[in-house]
Amino acid sequence: MVRGVWGVDSAQVVTDQLFQCVRTEFGYPKFWGRYLVEVPNVSEGLTRDEITRIRNYGIKVLPIYNAFREAVGYANGQVAARNAVFHARRLGIPKNKLLFANIEDFFAVDAAWITAWVETLYPTGYRPGLYADPTQGDFAAAYCEAVGNNNQVAVQAVIWSAAPRPGTTKEQKAPRYQPAAPPCSANVWAWQYGRDAEGCPVDTNLADRRLLDFLY
């Protein structure tokens, strides 16, 4: 049984106050998901200072790229991947670390975009990650189609599943690691099991221990 290592993600910058809130109210995260760029009214962007602060707490940074509104078309997937790599390099995130594309539940998504994300990211030395809900919308079908077209998608990509969602908990009360997965070969190594915690503006997550090697 995978117990899962516990972590959080936030759209807000990780300040000392936010860290202390999470530590007091929920637990000590092993990783913290944060966005590579600012998207107005959605997410505040990472800075080098913030990365240093998070790492000084002994927490690993999980980088998320979300500056796109749909995940459709090979060319668009290439552009998203190149932009994610540009920002990862700008922030000093080393190679061999995962960059997660934030494919929201309501996004249009197709196999071509997913394939492009994987095929464009991998040669740069970064690892392709996909945050998505395998139980809602088009993601599962699109992902499995991409795997059928190129098995390297299944080999190289890591999925951060947004389902099921039993709700946020303290670290000690986290559920057993049972994320939803697409109905085909997939490395589902992270699970956002709770959103919008009361008390601190974070989501709560569990991850397969293997994920930590590919976080910064």
Side-chain angles (χ1 to χ4, degrees):
M1 182 184 89
V2 178
R3 176 75 182 93
V5 292
W6 187 80
V8 298
D9 66 270
S10 69
Q12 292 187 15
V13 170
V14 181
T15 59
D16 286 329
Q17 291 89 338
L18 180 53
F19 167 69
Q20 294 299 343
C21 180
V22 169
R23 188 178 180 183
T24 303
E25 297 290 329
F26 293 98
Y28 205 117
K30 295 283 194 301
F31 61 93
W32 200 305
R34 282 286 291 120
Y35 293 89
L36 290 169
V37 291
E38 179 179 356
V39 175
N41 303 317
V42 176
S43 60
E44 297 177 331
L46 261 171
T47 63
R48 284 177 175 255
D49 285 348
E50 184 186 359
I51 289 172
T52 299
R53 185 181 308 118
I54 294 168
R55 287 168 54 80
N56 282 347
Y57 295 137
I59 300 170
K60 295 208 164 193
V61 177
L62 183 157
I64 309 161
Y65 183 71
N66 68 325
F68 57 94
R69 303 313 305 158
E70 61 174 15
V72 175
Y74 195 90
N76 291 331
Q78 286 180 306
V79 169
R82 290 182 188 130
N83 287 342
V85 168
F86 170 83
H87 290 293
R89 288 175 176 155
R90 172 180 65 82
L91 291 164
I93 296 169
K95 290 181 179 181
N96 206 36
K97 301 305 176 188
L98 279 156
L99 305 180
F100 280 92
N102 185 45
I103 302 174
E104 289 287 355
D105 311 352
F106 53 85
F107 275 15
V109 54
D110 67 11
W113 195 99
I114 292 170
T115 303
W117 176 260
V118 174
E119 290 181 351
T120 307
L121 259 185
Y122 198 76
T124 68
Y126 290 102
R127 299 281 183 136
L130 298 161
Y131 165 84
D133 185 339
T135 68
Q136 300 273 340
D138 301 329
F139 174 75
Y143 170 82
C144 290
E145 184 184 335
V147 170
N149 294 337
N150 179 357
N151 192 56
Q152 289 306 302
V153 172
V155 174
Q156 295 164 359
V158 169
I159 292 176
W160 175 12
S161 177
R165 222 173 270 143
T168 58
T169 68
K170 295 178 183 291
E171 179 179 7
Q172 299 304 329
K173 297 281 179 68
R176 211 151 56 95
Y177 186 75
Q178 292 181 310
C184 58
S185 180
N187 302 310
V188 185
W189 286 5
W191 176 29
Q192 184 189 71
Y193 69 85
R195 273 193 189 171
D196 302 323
E198 288 186 25
C200 315
V202 296
D203 307 319
T204 55
N205 299 269
L206 288 171
D208 186 304
R209 194 165 291 280
R210 288 174 289 182
L211 184 80
L212 295 180
D213 290 339
F214 300 102
L215 304 182
Y216 182 36

